[in-house]
């Protein structure tokens, strides 16, 4: 007898399932058997134990909506026809087995809860899951294979012991507004030739990759968030392709994105952030494109390209990485346009191996080691890129050239461009500004070309060329360096054509011993001294033009034929053998013994300094005795000619040192007796190996005379045991021993600090055994210095002015830092300025008015240092 499942008066298109109810089907399976195509199986609330086969185009729906019907399945639900399941809760008995198998037909699941098993969609089935929740499965939450077409809308896939959604073979899967979380495997995985598309989806806390594509599969994502993955956020392998647009990939335990093997990966307007390792990895033969996005806050590199990988970056912000922002190794290739790189604790770009990089535009900023660094055989080309506020702008260590065109290297903490040992650089139309040490440094045996570049405001020298280095520099300017515009160290070389060296604090060009630079058609401007050349150097200077150069050591033959306004007359210069030696302009003639009385009278005429005068005269008498004993063939007594001048600023130390040298020359104890002044800045270098040559160069200029080192205690600053000043002292001590008869060294500074300085090195203590103490000037002596200034400059000091000056000095604090003689000269200068203002108001001033300084011209005590 046929079971009736329709009540009288009921809708003929509905088959009702209600256990225990007369006229209704007693199970869902019975309802499905009773239903014909297109009918609805309406299930009453309750708990059902079922074995279901859906082979009819029926619609199965919970009568009272979500949560009202729970079906405990003895075996997997099989669907082989176009069917719709709505608001059902299906619970599997084995989480490792399929809960639901959709084998064919167009199937729709709406508002269903699917627990305790995976969903398998295979064959040519076409399935849509809308507002469903998949949970509690093993191996996978949803697995699509064959030619299946699957769509998930507003679904949740969670608590899966395996992968969230897998598509294999040639299946096509679309996830829209879907949430995947708490899966132990990958969130989404595509294999074979499958295609998975995600739109506005979220993948959270996947145990492995958030998105994974393998073999020849593809994953397309728009507005997707992948966060807190247990491995990489995105992983592509084989020949898979991943395209993501407007996505956020954050907080993975490993890398943000990995493209391996022959895969392709494209990120457009995507943000990769807070990766536990590198942000983007491209290896093997993979290709990656990153457009208008960001890669930030990564514990490894921002982007790592290695093996034969290739990465293209456009208009993307990259930075805040623990390691280098961009790292290119192996035979990797990186092309970046408009990239904003930095900050980083290491390099902005680090290229090694045989990798190659092309940078166009953009900037590299705030990197703790270098903006760009190369090694091995890597090659880097940059055009129009700004490298700013990095510790070093560019460090070249590869045997292939780094080429910069139209770039700006600004505010580097150390060197703007540093070319390593044996390396090569090519700079064209570049600006190197405000380097903390040198603008461009060529290390030993390095090479390079610099064409139409500018180097400005370096804290050290503009261009530094070390031993064996030989750059070719054309049409380049070095401006406002705190040291030399061009520094060519011992054994350095190179050719410098049509260059401008201007406004340097040290001599515009320094040439060390054995150096062979050729400087042709250069202009030297606005500097105290044009060149400083070691006697053993062999430079070539041709057609040099000088403008506003206070003192020149270039021979006339080196100057351009046409004179120009502002070019000074040549001071003492020698070009024998192509080497140049400085000669002090006021001390060119060596004093003789006949000049001794005049020199002693000059010493005696100095204001104050009675104790110093006695000490110097005692030294002179001692040396006269030494000379006479030698002439008599007797052994000379032990003699230390080197001195410590201890005293406050302005107490006449430099003046006495100059006189001391001339006195020794008059006695025949020194060849020339000239004075060479030095301090820490002239002796201590900025790099390892720089200090020794600098100290040697200063010492050589003093041979035959006096080397006067002011504030010598600054060579050993307290608490800096590894300071380069120690190297300067060691070099100085050795040179004093090697040239004990050819030079006198005088070290000067504050009394207490000088005691510490001499005690800092046993070699110093043994060589500086005599200290001359320069007492501060009293008011009477300071007034006498002002009077001496008046005589020297043709002024007359009125009696009331003399008394006012004495009272002024009596009122001034003479404590630490008081200028002594400098203060006296300052007072005289202020008086002449006040007198000039006063006389300018007179209609017809007399000669006496122009000569006379009165009490009204004396400045206030508060204006005198």
């Amino acid at each position: 007898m046929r079971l009736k499942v329709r009540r009288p008066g009921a809708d003929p298109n509905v088959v009702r399932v209600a256990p225990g109810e007369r006229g209704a089907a007693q199970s869902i399976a019975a309802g499905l058997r009773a239903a014909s195509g297109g009918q609805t199986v309406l299930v009453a609330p309750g708990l059902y134990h079922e074995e279901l086969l859906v082979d009819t185009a029926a619609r199965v729906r919970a009568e009272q909506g979500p949560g009202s019907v729970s079906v405990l399945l003895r075996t997997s639900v099989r669907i082989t026809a176009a069917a719709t399941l709505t608001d059902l809760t299906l619970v599997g008995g084995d989480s490792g087995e399929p809960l639901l198998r959709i084998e064919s037909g167009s199937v729709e699941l709406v508002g269903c809860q699917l627990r305790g098993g995976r969903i398998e969609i295979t064959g040519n089935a076409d399935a849509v899951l809308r507002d469903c929740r998949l949970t509690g499965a093993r191996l996978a939450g949803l697995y699509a294979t064959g030619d299946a077409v699957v769509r998930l809308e507003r679904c949740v896939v969670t608590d899966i012991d395996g992968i969230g959604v897998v598509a294999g073979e040639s299946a096509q899967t679309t996830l829209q507004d879907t949430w995947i979380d708490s899966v132990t495997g990958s969130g989404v995985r595509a294999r074979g030739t499958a295609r998975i598309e995600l739109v506005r989806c979220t993948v959270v806390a996947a145990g492995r990759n958030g998105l994974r594509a393998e073999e020849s599969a593809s994953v397309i994502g728009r507005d997707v968030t992948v966060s807190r993955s247990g491995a990489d956020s995105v992983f592509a392998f084989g020949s898979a392709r991943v395209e993501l647009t407007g996505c956020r990939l954050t907080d993975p335990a490993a890398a943000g994105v990995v493209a391996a093997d022959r895969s392709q990966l494209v990120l457009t307007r995507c943000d990769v952030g807070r990766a536990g390792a590198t942000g983007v990895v491209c290896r093997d033969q993979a290709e990656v494109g990153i457009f208008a996005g960001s890669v930030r806050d990564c514990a490894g590199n921002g982007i790592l390209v290695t093996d034969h990988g290739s990465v293209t970056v456009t208009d993307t912000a990259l930075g805040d990485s623990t390691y280098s922002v961009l790292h290119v190794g192996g035979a990797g290739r990186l092309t970046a346009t408009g990239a904003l790189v930095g900050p980083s604790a290491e390099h902005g770009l680090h290229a090694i191996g045989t990798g190659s990089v092309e940078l166009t535009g953009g900037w590299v900023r705030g990197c703790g080691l270098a903006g760009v660094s190369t090694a091995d055989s890597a090659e880097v080309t940059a055009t129009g890129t700004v490298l700013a506020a990095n510790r070093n702008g560019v460090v070249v260590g590869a045997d292939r050239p780094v080429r910069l065109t139209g770039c700006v290297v600004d505010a580097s903490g150390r060197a703007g461009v540093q070319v390593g040992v044996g390396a090569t650089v090519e700079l064209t139309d570049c600006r190197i500004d405000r380097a903390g040490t040198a603008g461009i440094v060529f290390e030993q045996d390095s090479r390079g070309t610099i064409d139409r570049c500018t180097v400005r405001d370096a804290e050290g020298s503009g261009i530094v060329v070390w031993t064996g280095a030989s750059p070719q520099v054309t049409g380049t300017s070095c401006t406002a360096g705190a040291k030399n515009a061009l520094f060519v160290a011992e054994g350095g070389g190179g050719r410098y054509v049509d260059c401008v060296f201007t406004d340097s604090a040290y001599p515009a060009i320094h040439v060390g011993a054995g150096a062979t630079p050729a400087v042709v058609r250069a202009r030297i401007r606005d500097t105290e001294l044009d060149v400083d050349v070691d006697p053993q150097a062999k430079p070539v200077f041709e057609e040099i033009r000088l403008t506003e150069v206070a003192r020149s050591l270039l021979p006339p033959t080196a100057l351009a034929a046409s004179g120009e306004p502002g070019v000074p007359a040549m001071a003492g210069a020698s070009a024998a053998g192509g080497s140049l030696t400085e000669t002090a302009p006021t001390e060119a003639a060596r004093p003789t013994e006949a000049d001794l009385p005049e020199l002693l009278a000059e010493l005696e005429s100095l204001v104050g300094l009675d104790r110093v005068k006695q000490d110097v005269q005692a030294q002179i008498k001692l040396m006269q005795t030494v000379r006479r004993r030698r002439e008599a063939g007797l052994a000379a007594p032990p003699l230390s000619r080197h001195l410590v001048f201890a005293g406050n600023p302005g107490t006449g130390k430099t003046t006495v040192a100059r006189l001391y040298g001339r006195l020794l020359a008059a006695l025949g104890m020194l060849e020339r007796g000239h004075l060479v002044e030095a301090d820490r800045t002239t002796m201590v270098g900025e790099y390892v190996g720089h200090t020794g040559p600098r100290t040697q160069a200063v010492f050589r200029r003093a041979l035959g005379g006096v080397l006067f080192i002011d504030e010598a205690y600054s060579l050993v600053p307290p608490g800096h045991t590894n300071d380069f000043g120690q190297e300067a002292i060691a070099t100085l001590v050795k040179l004093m021993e090697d040239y004990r008869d050819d030079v006198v060294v005088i070290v000067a500074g504050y009394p207490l600090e000088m005691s510490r300085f001499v005690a800092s090195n046993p070699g110093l203590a043994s060589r500086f055994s005599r200290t001359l103490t320069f007492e501060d000037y009293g008011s009477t002596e300071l007034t006498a210095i002002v009077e001496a200034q008046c005589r020297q400059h043709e002024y007359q000091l009125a009696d009331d002015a003399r008394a006012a000056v004495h009272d002024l000095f009596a009122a001034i604090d003479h404590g630490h830092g008081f200028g002594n003689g400098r203060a006296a000269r300052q007072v005289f200068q202020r008086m002449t300025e006040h007198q000039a203002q006063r006389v300018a108001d007179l209609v017809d001033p007399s000669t006496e008015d122009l000569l006379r300084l009165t009490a009204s011209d004396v400045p206030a005590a508060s204006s005198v240092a």
Side-chain angles (χ1 to χ4, degrees):
M1 185 173 115
R2 186 168 178 173
L3 178 66
K4 295 182 179 180
V5 295
R6 189 181 305 118
R7 293 174 298 169
D11 186 341
N13 293 319
V14 174
V15 174
R16 192 166 188 276
V17 177
E21 182 178 308
R22 182 183 176 85
Q26 299 302 297
S27 68
I28 300 173
L32 286 169
R33 288 193 298 271
S36 58
Q39 285 189 310
T40 296
V41 178
L42 192 64
V43 183
L47 177 63
Y48 296 80
H49 296 266
E50 300 274 357
E51 291 184 9
L52 298 178
L53 170 63
V54 182
D55 55 1
T56 302
R59 293 186 291 274
V60 183
R61 178 167 61 85
E63 183 179 33
Q64 295 186 15
S68 63
V69 174
S70 294
V71 182
L72 301 183
L73 299 170
R74 297 188 181 95
T75 60
S76 302
V77 177
R78 293 180 59 224
I79 301 178
T80 60
T84 301
L85 278 63
T86 303
D87 296 338
L88 301 178
T89 298
L90 303 179
V91 182
D94 185 347
S95 62
E97 294 296 323
L99 171 72
L100 176 65
R101 286 180 56 87
I102 301 174
E103 298 175 359
S104 61
S106 297
V107 177
E108 187 173 359
L109 278 70
V110 181
C112 293
Q113 303 284 322
L114 307 162
R115 299 200 304 264
R118 64 183 175 275
I119 298 174
E120 289 187 359
I121 306 169
T122 186
N124 60 358
D126 186 343
V128 176
L129 283 74
R130 186 177 297 114
D131 299 315
C132 293
R133 184 180 181 90
L134 288 68
T135 184
R138 282 195 295 116
L139 303 180
L142 182 147
Y143 185 22
T145 61
D147 295 324
V149 177
V150 181
R151 184 178 183 88
L152 278 71
E153 298 179 3
R154 300 184 301 278
C155 292
V156 175
V157 181
T158 184
D159 191 22
I160 305 297
D161 185 11
I163 302 167
V165 175
V166 184
E169 298 179 355
S170 56
Q172 308 290 306
T173 302
T174 300
L175 285 70
Q176 180 175 315
D177 300 307
T178 290
W179 180 283
I180 300 174
D181 76 350
S182 301
V183 299
T184 61
S186 297
V188 172
R189 183 177 183 181
R191 305 179 62 184
T193 59
R195 183 179 189 273
I196 297 180
E197 182 176 357
L198 300 97
V199 180
R200 297 185 301 277
C201 294
T202 300
V203 180
V204 181
R208 293 189 59 76
N209 307 122
L211 309 178
R212 184 181 179 96
E214 303 172 24
E215 299 171 354
S216 298
S218 61
V219 173
I220 312 297
R222 297 192 300 276
D223 300 322
V224 175
T225 297
V226 179
S227 64
R228 304 203 310 274
S229 301
D232 312 313
S233 291
V234 178
F235 183 85
F237 191 74
S239 57
R241 181 175 178 84
V242 176
E243 297 181 22
L244 303 179
T245 303
C247 298
R248 295 181 66 252
L249 313 172
T250 63
D251 301 291
V257 174
V258 176
D261 203 1
R262 301 175 307 282
S263 63
Q264 297 180 326
L265 192 148
V266 179
L267 304 176
T268 303
R269 300 192 309 280
C270 294
D271 298 325
V272 179
R274 299 190 297 273
T278 292
V280 177
V281 177
C282 178
R283 57 183 173 86
D284 304 323
Q285 300 178 56
E287 298 178 2
V288 173
I290 306 173
F291 306 98
S294 69
V295 181
R296 292 285 190 186
D297 299 309
C298 299
N301 303 112
I303 297 177
L304 170 63
V305 192
T306 188
D307 301 322
H308 291 273
S310 177
V311 173
T312 299
V313 178
T314 302
D315 298 331
T316 293
L318 310 121
D320 295 306
S321 56
T322 301
Y323 301 152
S324 300
V325 179
L326 305 173
H327 182 100
V328 180
R333 178 179 176 81
L334 170 70
T335 302
T337 302
L340 309 180
V341 179
S344 168
E346 292 192 352
H347 305 289
L349 165 66
H350 191 204
I352 63 173
T354 59
S356 63
V357 179
E358 294 181 11
L359 302 178
T360 302
W363 52 254
V364 182
R365 183 186 301 273
C367 298
L369 294 181
V372 172
S373 175
T374 69
D376 303 328
S377 297
E379 185 174 14
V380 172
T381 300
T383 303
T385 302
V386 176
L387 299 102
N390 304 295
R391 187 169 189 264
N392 291 283
V394 178
V395 176
V396 185
D399 54 21
R400 295 170 70 188
V402 169
R403 298 181 176 91
L404 305 182
T405 302
C407 295
V408 175
V409 182
D410 183 36
S412 304
R414 294 186 65 79
V417 177
Q418 184 166 336
V419 189
V421 175
T424 303
V425 73
E426 297 177 11
L427 306 179
T428 305
D429 295 319
C430 293
R431 267 189 15 236
I432 317 296
D433 292 345
R434 301 187 297 167
T437 54
I440 304 172
V441 178
F442 288 91
E443 294 187 18
Q444 183 176 348
D445 299 328
S446 61
R447 297 290 183 270
T449 60
I450 304 175
D451 188 25
R452 302 188 305 276
C453 295
T454 61
V455 182
R456 301 187 302 188
D457 299 314
E459 290 297 318
S461 296
I463 299 176
V464 175
V465 181
W466 288 106
T467 304
S470 184
Q472 304 299 304
V473 184
T474 57
T476 291
S477 65
C478 295
T479 303
K483 294 186 178 178
N484 307 106
L486 171 62
F487 179 95
V488 183
E490 294 185 8
R495 185 172 176 82
Y496 310 85
V497 180
D498 296 323
C499 295
V500 178
F501 305 108
T502 181
D503 196 21
S504 56
Y506 287 13
I509 301 175
H510 170 85
V511 183
T516 58
V519 183
V520 180
R521 295 194 302 275
R523 179 187 293 274
I524 299 176
R525 301 177 54 185
D526 301 318
T527 189
E528 180 69 23
L529 182 64
D530 52 4
V531 295
D532 167 24
V533 180
D534 189 275
Q536 298 178 15
K538 295 182 179 179
V540 173
F541 291 103
E542 297 178 359
E543 299 184 61
I544 310 300
R545 298 178 183 273
L546 306 180
T547 304
E548 297 298 332
V549 175
R551 191 157 55 100
S552 174
L553 297 183
L554 282 169
T557 55
L559 301 181
S562 58
E564 294 184 1
V567 177
M570 296 301 100
S574 169
S579 64
L580 307 175
T581 305
E582 179 175 355
T583 303
T586 61
E587 300 167 347
R590 169 188 163 182
T592 65
E593 191 168 4
D595 298 312
L596 193 57
E598 182 180 342
L599 293 172
L600 289 171
E602 186 177 345
L603 175 66
E604 189 60 34
S605 68
L606 296 177
V607 175
L609 304 178
D610 293 340
R611 182 175 171 184
V612 170
K613 294 173 187 175
Q614 292 173 8
D615 289 340
V616 171
Q617 289 169 352
Q619 282 287 97
I620 297 304
K621 291 176 181 178
L622 174 60
M623 290 181 190
Q624 284 177 315
T625 301
V626 168
R627 188 188 66 176
R628 289 168 183 164
R629 286 181 62 87
R630 285 176 177 170
E631 291 173 350
L634 300 175
L639 177 65
S640 176
R641 301 183 297 176
H642 310 302
L643 299 173
V644 176
F645 282 8
N648 292 326
T651 50
K653 297 187 292 296
T654 306
T655 301
V656 173
R658 183 174 287 108
L659 265 173
Y660 185 62
R662 297 175 67 194
L663 284 163
L664 294 185
L667 290 171
M669 308 296 287
L670 287 175
E671 181 182 353
R672 291 169 56 198
H674 65 291
L675 182 77
V676 173
E677 297 184 59
D679 57 18
R680 177 183 172 88
T681 61
T682 56
M683 299 174 67
V684 177
E686 300 291 343
Y687 332 95
V688 174
H690 191 196
T691 296
R694 292 182 65 84
T695 302
Q696 292 171 14
V698 171
F699 194 90
R700 285 194 191 95
R701 293 200 300 273
L703 288 175
V706 174
L707 175 60
F708 181 79
I709 306 174
D710 198 13
E711 297 183 349
Y713 47 80
S714 65
L715 295 175
V716 283
H720 294 270
T721 57
N722 60 345
D723 185 79
F724 289 152
Q726 297 286 354
E727 182 183 351
I729 291 174
T731 303
L732 179 65
V733 168
K734 184 179 186 305
L735 291 170
M736 290 170 67
E737 177 63 26
D738 294 343
Y739 298 92
R740 66 173 67 91
D741 297 326
D742 300 315
V743 74
V744 167
V745 179
I746 298 176
V747 291
Y750 290 110
L752 183 60
E753 285 85 345
M754 290 309 298
S755 297
R756 176 180 60 80
F757 168 71
V758 173
S760 68
N761 184 294
L764 294 176
S766 64
R767 286 165 177 80
F768 292 102
S769 58
R770 188 172 186 84
T771 299
L772 273 61
T773 301
F774 287 69
E775 304 288 348
D776 287 338
Y777 291 118
S779 300
T780 300
E781 294 165 327
L782 292 168
T783 304
I785 293 174
V786 173
E787 289 184 290
Q789 290 285 303
C790 289
R791 290 191 297 272
Q792 181 180 346
H793 297 282
E794 299 187 51
Y795 283 89
Q796 294 176 356
L797 194 63
D799 292 340
D800 62 342
R802 185 179 296 103
V805 169
H806 188 279
D807 293 343
L808 168 66
F809 287 126
I812 293 175
D813 180 11
H814 290 216
H816 186 79
F818 175 63
N820 284 289
R822 182 186 63 202
R825 290 187 291 275
Q826 181 184 5
V827 167
F828 169 73
Q829 180 179 345
R830 297 285 177 82
M831 291 177 69
T832 60
E833 292 170 354
H834 293 170
Q835 187 236 35
Q837 296 294 325
R838 176 170 55 79
V839 171
D841 295 333
L842 299 178
V843 177
D844 186 17
S846 64
T847 301
E848 183 178 356
D849 291 330
L850 296 173
L851 291 173
R852 196 172 184 81
L853 297 174
T854 69
S856 64
D857 299 322
V858 178
S862 60
S863 66
V864 180

